[in-house]
Amino acid sequence: MAKELKELTPRSESYSQWYQDLVIKADLAESSAVRGCMVIKPYGYAIWEKMQRILDDMFKETGHMNAYFPLFIPKSFLSREADHVEGFAKECAVVTHYRLKTNPEGGVVVDPEARLEEELIVRPTSETIIWNTYKNWIQSHRDLPILVNQWANVVRWEMRTRLFLRTAEFLWQEGHTAHATCEEAVAEARQMLEVYATFAEKYMAMPVTKGVKTASERFAGAVDTYTIEALMQDGKALQSGTSHFLGQNFAKAFDVTFTNKEGERELVWATSWGVSTRLMGALIMSHSDDNGLVLPPKLAPFQVVIVPIYRSQEQLDLISAKVKEIMAKLKARGISVKYDDADNRKPGWKFAEYELKGVPVRLAMGGRDLENGTIEVARRDTLTKETMPLDGIDAHIETLLNDIQENIFKKAFDYREAHTVTVDTYDEFKEKIEEGGFILAHWDGTAETEALIKNETKATIRCIPLNGDQTPGVCMVTGKPSRQRVLFARAY
Amino acid sequence: MAKELKELTPRSESYSQWYQDLVIKADLAESSAVRGCMVIKPYGYAIWEKMQRILDDMFKETGHMNAYFPLFIPKSFLSREADHVEGFAKECAVVTHYRLKTNPEGGVVVDPEARLEEELIVRPTSETIIWNTYKNWIQSHRDLPILVNQWANVVRWEMRTRLFLRTAEFLWQEGHTAHATCEEAVAEARQMLEVYATFAEKYMAMPVTKGVKTASERFAGAVDTYTIEALMQDGKALQSGTSHFLGQNFAKAFDVTFTNKEGERELVWATSWGVSTRLMGALIMSHSDDNGLVLPPKLAPFQVVIVPIYRSQEQLDLISAKVKEIMAKLKARGISVKYDDADNRKPGWKFAEYELKGVPVRLAMGGRDLENGTIEVARRDTLTKETMPLDGIDAHIETLLNDIQENIFKKAFDYREAHTVTVDTYDEFKEKIEEGGFILAHWDGTAETEALIKNETKATIRCIPLNGDQTPGVCMVTGKPSRQRVLFARAY
């Protein structure tokens, strides 16, 4: 029964059902009583906390500080920036009242007398309320730059939701910076893209392609949107983080100017950038398999689990004494480790449980190990195991964790390489897009051609890559000139 | 001009204006465009982050994990627990619609067709949504205890707001635990009260009195509310953290049962506990003075600031070289330090700025110091300074920071001792309450007497202290028997 409970739908049968099974059964998240809002469970949240801590350190190293702005945005603020309201008005949670009252028949109803003069929007993103605030913070060039980040919840009333990937409420960070010059703002937006790419590759072990969005895929209110795009195991792309150069759009909308060194008033330049709990979905889909989650050691809530295999309390005591020594050595190397000596579950159940939860290394110690001075070492990524001498086990595991981190990156990298093709004709494009993966092709730079391709193939331009081949060519659809190949895929 | 900008209303003139001035001028927080919602500025948020990190570590040490539950609560959930809805219905932000639409005349309006079937409440606290979730997590005694905490924003539509002390939206943590037995739940509630008390005294340097709330001051839905109460410099009490034993009230309301070891179904026992950004107000009002903020070193964003005093670039370079050495030594001791060599502000301006911001230790180095191998050391709490030899300065500052932490605790402790009186008659009570401070007096245990005292004197029973004198006596108002003295004060 325990085994069945833990079984996932195989990816080959239904990738989306496998994903759903995995998120639920590995105790990462679940749906709540509120449509589209999820509960992030302790094990899932522990992974998110690791991500937060690392990103937060990276933001601080690049000179940013955290702050906190209101959850609510006056309705009128949204309409100040034309593209922005266009982008967000259709999916806003709107607060209209500030009181309930008890119904004479029991139950509670909204008190019609407690209607707000102006409705409040639950923030879908905070540019408007923040730029309205910055107006008071910025007078002179000496007040610039402002380098602020916020960790917060936001709400976008999505109709079709999926745990982590698309939820009505999600957690994220949003950086909002203000600069004296265009160049400085562009440099900031690009710097934060680099931070995201480094985080994705170094910590999530997830290779990403850096690029610029086309006009139709831009953030509502941005001049340029930079993105990191990752390829999931089912051949679909996942936009994993974006950094926006906002130009002077929000400064104009909220009348934010500064006195430059020459004593003249100028509009302020802006960026914003964010990653969200969507990264959890990206992490899960980059590495996991039919047995469950596969976690990169750098983001695992605990990197090593130790399971004792014993026949008597006496034997358990002997094993536990040995385990205690091993744990002390591992902790001294900064390795996080859990000892599961719970007596209400069999070792086989525990093995399946930690496999499902993606713990990178599992150690098991039994009676024979005690006699021989050995321990069984199993790695989650390759599902292989070997018996090792206890002597030097801590150094071995430190190396092993690094190997696992590298190996799962390499696996994801090789997958992406194997699923990235270059095509020159639209017929070939239509054929290849059915196989999934990234396609590099020439495009004439128009929104019309982009829309046509999307309508006919469901593929979108994920980005215009910043690196790689920049050779000009001709559009695969219209034959018109193309500056460089762009990256197409079907996407989440 | 710089000086004027930084001047605060003296406390003797208006304590509440002094507080308001300080919060704004020390860059801690400000009001926003949304009624009752504040913006927490980077410097203020850095203090809150320190608090969060320390509390989070303490929660984890006591076995808790973090999770995240929805921002929204279906309206019907609130009414499930009778006291709970009574307590929160009057101050709820209510989401009624999920879309805006563009008005033909321009601007955006709420789309009347996008009305929610059931209104959603922005969480004022999360017991209801969490217990509705726990119902699915708990089947057997093996699923217990559940020890979960959440860091989140909550909204209570307060009519009179004050930065940090009472805001419509605030940040907090809320622990929600589930237990198999009454005893275990009570022990949990008391343990978390101890965690809060330790945090307040050891880190915030703020002495607190631990106690139990009377029935009329209890959390809506609790069987018992434990509290820590602190005394502010104006003689008013501030409730700084509460921990609730919820009995089986929420288990009943959401039908949460478990199978015990004997195979019988039982209702689950619960606790919840929280502290909020209100602690920022408590911290400010416990230690600060007419020159600005006074921060305990353990919560200061940076503990030491170094200001160079120079006449030429050459001199600055020499000073900077020395400072670099000092900083390396301080950092090696885990001391956080900022070097302010900005050339657009005079040293006097910087001194005032860091005094206002409560930086515990200020170092200044000038030409004479360079010659003599000395540095000026100023401490914020006593506003004293002395010139010290550079040799051994790092060890000296480490000791000094500990001294400051202890000194400001002692000052607050002595203040509280000097402003706590024991009275036996109601006449004396009415006289003493005008002077501010804590009053220990006997009370007959009835809500009627408690309400009478509150109506006549504006004083409330802050708590029935857990420690201290437990001798019985007679009520100062009615002469009826009293089990022990209780703690009265006027409160925030």
Side-chain angles (χ1 to χ4, degrees):
Chain A
M1 163 139 176
K3 190 151 188 292
E4 282 167 34
L5 271 178
K6 293 186 185 307
E7 255 172 28
L8 309 177
T9 303
R11 286 167 294 176
S12 56
E13 195 176 298
S14 164
Y15 194 79
S16 69
Q17 190 58 49
W18 165 82
Y19 176 80
Q20 174 83 1
D21 286 359
L22 176 50
V23 171
I24 303 273
K25 294 188 183 181
D27 279 338
L28 301 176
E30 64 184 37
S31 297
S32 77
V34 182
R35 207 196 61 77
C37 294
M38 65 180 159
V39 172
I40 306 179
K41 298 186 78 174
Y43 191 67
Y45 200 85
I47 301 170
W48 174 242
E49 274 183 303
K50 288 236 156 197
M51 291 187 176
Q52 282 189 301
R53 188 69 68 99
I54 295 161
L55 283 164
D56 197 68
D57 286 346
M58 293 175 91
F59 300 156
K60 283 174 179 155
E61 271 164 32
T62 43
H64 304 86
M65 287 184 83
N66 290 322
Y68 189 77
F69 298 87
L71 170 67
F72 300 126
I73 295 177
K75 194 191 64 179
S76 59
F77 280 25
L78 267 195
S79 20
R80 298 260 196 109
E81 214 289 326
D83 288 334
H84 197 68
V85 69
E86 184 66 25
F88 290 105
K90 286 172 201 135
E91 49 183 31
C92 280
V94 189
V95 177
T96 55
H97 292 75
Y98 58 84
R99 194 165 60 221
L100 298 175
K101 63 172 190 176
T102 315
N103 200 324
E105 302 123 52
V108 287
V109 293
V110 176
D111 185 344
E113 289 180 21
R115 197 181 163 89
L116 290 170
E117 274 185 46
E118 179 179 6
E119 294 90 347
L120 296 172
I121 308 307
V122 181
R123 63 182 162 218
T125 179
S126 300
E127 278 77 6
T128 57
I129 188 83
I130 288 180
W131 277 85
N132 184 66
T133 307
Y134 282 179
K135 182 177 168 59
N136 301 318
W137 293 7
I138 300 168
Q139 316 296 332
S140 139
H141 63 92
R142 275 184 294 205
D143 301 320
L144 295 171
I146 293 179
L147 303 174
V148 163
N149 176 61
Q150 159 170 283
W151 289 96
N153 52 345
V154 287
V155 171
R156 297 176 188 178
W157 209 264
E158 303 277 359
M159 280 303 155
R160 283 190 205 170
T161 60
R162 295 186 69 188
L163 293 168
F164 291 124
L165 295 170
R166 197 172 291 276
T167 48
E169 182 193 13
F170 55 91
L171 304 183
W172 79 344
Q173 60 68 217
E174 46 182 327
H176 294 274
T177 69
H179 305 267
T181 66
C182 174
E183 294 68 33
E184 198 184 294
V186 170
E188 166 77 9
R190 284 186 173 240
Q191 171 187 248
M192 298 324 289
L193 186 78
E194 288 298 330
V195 165
Y196 289 155
T198 302
F199 174 75
E201 303 202 330
K202 194 167 157 196
Y203 295 93
M204 295 176 67
M206 179 176 80
V208 292
T209 301
K210 292 175 282 189
V212 188
K213 288 284 184 189
T214 61
S216 56
E217 299 277 335
R218 242 176 236 151
F219 174 75
V223 172
D224 260 324
T225 288
Y226 298 93
T227 180
I228 51 171
E229 300 283 327
L231 187 62
M232 302 295 103
Q233 296 171 344
D234 60 346
K236 284 170 79 175
L238 191 122
Q239 175 181 305
S240 305
T242 49
S243 178
H244 316 292
F245 167 59
L246 302 172
Q248 298 173 310
N249 292 347
F250 287 91
K252 267 180 216 148
F254 290 89
D255 188 27
V256 187
T257 60
F258 71 100
T259 311
N260 66 18
K261 285 179 186 166
E262 288 73 41
E264 295 148 1
R265 297 303 285 179
E266 273 190 66
L267 284 167
V268 178
W269 298 86
T271 83
S272 65
W273 28 275
V275 294
S276 73
T277 36
R278 192 170 213 224
L279 286 182
M280 291 287 297
L283 183 73
I284 295 161
M285 289 200 293
S286 289
H287 310 302
S288 304
D289 60 27
D290 290 350
N291 297 313
L293 196 60
V294 173
L295 286 174
K298 287 184 180 172
L299 295 178
F302 45 100
Q303 299 167 310
V304 176
V305 64
I306 310 181
V307 176
I309 301 168
Y310 56 96
R311 297 223 178 99
S312 64
Q313 183 61 42
E314 197 190 352
Q315 201 178 37
L316 175 61
D317 291 345
L318 290 169
I319 293 172
S320 295
K322 272 283 171 224
V323 166
K324 218 173 155 183
E325 287 171 29
I326 300 167
M327 287 177 76
K329 282 186 196 162
L330 291 175
K331 283 179 185 168
R333 287 177 186 265
I335 297 166
S336 53
V337 51
K338 174 180 170 165
Y339 180 41
D340 185 354
D341 61 350
D343 62 0
N344 55 355
R345 302 291 191 189
K346 297 232 151 81
W349 188 95
K350 292 177 186 174
F351 286 11
E353 172 74 8
Y354 295 116
E355 208 165 275
L356 182 61
K357 289 196 164 168
V359 181
V361 172
R362 182 189 74 223
L363 304 179
M365 187 180 267
R368 190 165 298 171
D369 290 311
L370 266 184
E371 280 168 30
N372 301 344
T374 58
I375 195 161
E376 188 188 81
V377 180
R379 55 188 281 184
R380 175 64 186 87
D381 60 334
T382 54
L383 291 169
T384 52
K385 55 190 181 184
E386 58 179 326
T387 297
M388 304 278 303
L390 270 183
D391 196 37
I393 193 70
D394 51 324
H396 174 73
I397 288 173
E398 189 170 26
T399 307
L400 183 59
L401 289 169
N402 289 333
D403 284 353
I404 294 173
Q405 182 82 28
E406 278 172 33
N407 179 55
I408 66 177
F409 176 79
K410 189 174 180 305
K411 212 169 146 187
F413 185 86
D414 290 346
Y415 174 85
R416 187 185 66 175
E417 292 303 291
H419 292 81
T420 301
V421 294
T422 299
V423 312
D424 288 318
T425 71
Y426 193 36
D427 281 343
E428 197 186 354
F429 182 90
K430 285 191 263 193
E431 190 190 313
K432 290 289 179 192
I433 201 70
E434 296 302 326
E435 294 168 18
F438 281 155
I439 301 182
L440 285 160
H442 281 292
W443 157 67
D444 64 14
T446 69
E448 291 71 29
T449 306
E450 189 182 8
L452 182 145
I453 296 169
K454 188 178 176 182
N455 285 338
E456 293 189 350
T457 67
K458 290 182 194 142
T460 48
I461 300 177
R462 304 315 306 153
C463 68
I464 304 160
L466 289 175
N467 307 314
D469 185 5
Q470 315 262 324
T471 323
V474 295
C475 176
M476 62 174 174
V477 178
T478 63
K480 289 183 189 161
S482 154
R483 287 198 203 166
Q484 69 168 87
R485 289 183 192 273
V486 298
L487 191 70
F488 286 92
R490 288 180 182 158
Y492 276 93
Chain B
M1 165 141 177
K3 190 155 189 294
E4 280 167 35
L5 271 179
K6 295 189 184 305
E7 255 174 28
L8 309 177
T9 303
R11 285 167 294 175
S12 56
E13 197 176 296
S14 164
Y15 193 80
S16 69
Q17 190 58 49
W18 164 83
Y19 175 80
Q20 174 81 2
D21 286 0
L22 176 50
V23 171
I24 304 272
K25 294 187 182 182
D27 279 338
L28 301 176
E30 65 184 38
S31 296
S32 78
V34 182
R35 207 197 61 77
C37 293
M38 64 180 160
V39 172
I40 306 179
K41 299 185 77 175
Y43 190 67
Y45 200 85
I47 302 170
W48 174 241
E49 274 183 304
K50 289 236 155 198
M51 290 187 177
Q52 282 188 300
R53 188 68 69 101
I54 295 162
L55 282 166
D56 197 66
D57 285 345
M58 293 174 90
F59 299 157
K60 283 174 178 154
E61 272 165 32
T62 44
H64 304 85
M65 287 185 83
N66 290 322
Y68 189 75
F69 298 87
L71 171 66
F72 299 127
I73 295 176
K75 194 191 65 181
S76 59
F77 280 25
L78 267 195
S79 21
R80 297 258 196 112
E81 213 291 326
D83 289 336
H84 197 69
V85 67
E86 184 66 28
F88 290 105
K90 287 172 199 134
E91 49 183 31
C92 281
V94 188
V95 177
T96 55
H97 293 74
Y98 58 85
R99 192 165 63 220
L100 299 174
K101 62 172 192 176
T102 314
N103 200 324
E105 300 122 52
V108 286
V109 292
V110 176
D111 185 344
E113 288 179 21
R115 196 180 164 92
L116 291 171
E117 273 184 48
E118 179 180 4
E119 294 90 348
L120 296 173
I121 308 307
V122 181
R123 64 181 161 217
T125 180
S126 301
E127 278 77 7
T128 56
I129 188 83
I130 288 180
W131 277 85
N132 183 67
T133 308
Y134 282 179
K135 181 177 169 55
N136 301 319
W137 293 7
I138 300 169
Q139 317 296 333
S140 140
H141 63 92
R142 275 183 292 206
D143 300 321
L144 296 171
I146 293 178
L147 303 173
V148 163
N149 176 62
Q150 159 170 281
W151 289 95
N153 52 345
V154 286
V155 171
R156 297 176 188 178
W157 209 265
E158 303 277 0
M159 280 301 155
R160 284 190 203 169
T161 60
R162 296 187 69 189
L163 293 167
F164 290 124
L165 295 171
R166 197 171 290 277
T167 48
E169 182 193 14
F170 56 92
L171 304 183
W172 80 344
Q173 59 68 218
E174 46 182 326
H176 294 273
T177 69
H179 305 266
T181 66
C182 174
E183 295 67 34
E184 199 184 295
V186 170
E188 166 77 9
R190 284 186 172 239
Q191 171 186 251
M192 298 323 289
L193 185 78
E194 288 299 328
V195 165
Y196 290 155
T198 301
F199 175 74
E201 302 201 331
K202 195 167 156 197
Y203 295 92
M204 296 176 66
M206 178 175 82
V208 292
T209 302
K210 292 174 282 188
V212 189
K213 288 285 185 189
T214 61
S216 55
E217 299 278 335
R218 244 176 235 149
F219 174 76
V223 172
D224 260 324
T225 288
Y226 297 93
T227 180
I228 52 170
E229 299 284 326
L231 188 62
M232 302 294 101
Q233 295 171 345
D234 62 346
K236 284 170 81 176
L238 191 124
Q239 175 182 307
S240 304
T242 48
S243 179
H244 315 292
F245 167 59
L246 302 172
Q248 297 174 310
N249 292 346
F250 286 91
K252 267 180 217 150
F254 290 90
D255 189 25
V256 187
T257 60
F258 70 101
T259 310
N260 66 19
K261 285 179 187 165
E262 288 73 42
E264 295 148 2
R265 297 303 286 178
E266 274 190 66
L267 285 166
V268 178
W269 299 85
T271 82
S272 67
W273 29 275
V275 295
S276 74
T277 36
R278 192 169 212 225
L279 285 182
M280 291 288 294
L283 182 74
I284 295 162
M285 289 200 292
S286 289
H287 310 302
S288 305
D289 61 28
D290 289 351
N291 296 314
L293 196 60
V294 173
L295 286 174
K298 288 184 179 170
L299 295 178
F302 44 99
Q303 299 167 310
V304 176
V305 63
I306 309 182
V307 177
I309 302 167
Y310 57 95
R311 298 225 177 97
S312 64
Q313 184 62 42
E314 195 190 354
Q315 201 177 39
L316 175 60
D317 292 343
L318 290 169
I319 292 172
S320 296
K322 271 282 171 224
V323 165
K324 217 173 156 185
E325 288 171 27
I326 300 167
M327 286 176 78
K329 283 185 194 164
L330 291 175
K331 283 179 185 169
R333 288 177 185 265
I335 296 166
S336 52
V337 51
K338 173 180 171 166
Y339 180 41
D340 185 352
D341 61 350
D343 62 359
N344 56 355
R345 301 294 192 188
K346 297 233 151 80
W349 189 95
K350 292 177 185 175
F351 286 11
E353 174 75 6
Y354 296 115
E355 209 164 274
L356 182 60
K357 289 196 164 169
V359 182
V361 173
R362 183 189 74 223
L363 304 179
M365 186 180 267
R368 189 164 300 171
D369 291 309
L370 265 184
E371 282 168 29
N372 300 343
T374 57
I375 195 161
E376 187 187 82
V377 181
R379 57 189 278 182
R380 174 62 185 91
D381 60 334
T382 54
L383 292 168
T384 51
K385 55 188 179 182
E386 57 179 327
T387 297
M388 304 278 305
L390 270 184
D391 196 36
I393 193 69
D394 51 326
H396 174 74
I397 287 173
E398 189 171 26
T399 307
L400 184 59
L401 289 170
N402 289 332
D403 285 354
I404 294 172
Q405 183 81 28
E406 279 172 32
N407 178 56
I408 65 176
F409 176 78
K410 189 175 180 304
K411 213 169 146 186
F413 185 86
D414 290 347
Y415 174 84
R416 186 185 68 174
E417 292 302 290
H419 292 81
T420 302
V421 294
T422 300
V423 312
D424 289 317
T425 71
Y426 193 37
D427 281 345
E428 199 187 351
F429 182 91
K430 285 191 262 193
E431 191 190 314
K432 291 290 180 190
I433 202 71
E434 296 302 325
E435 294 168 18
F438 280 154
I439 301 183
L440 285 160
H442 281 292
W443 159 66
D444 63 15
T446 69
E448 293 71 29
T449 305
E450 189 182 8
L452 182 147
I453 296 168
K454 187 176 176 183
N455 285 338
E456 292 188 351
T457 67
K458 290 182 195 143
T460 48
I461 300 176
R462 304 315 305 152
C463 67
I464 304 162
L466 289 175
N467 307 314
D469 187 4
Q470 314 262 325
T471 323
V474 294
C475 175
M476 64 174 172
V477 178
T478 63
K480 288 183 191 161
S482 154
R483 285 197 205 167
Q484 69 168 87
R485 287 181 193 275
V486 299
L487 192 70
F488 286 93
R490 287 179 181 158
Y492 276 94

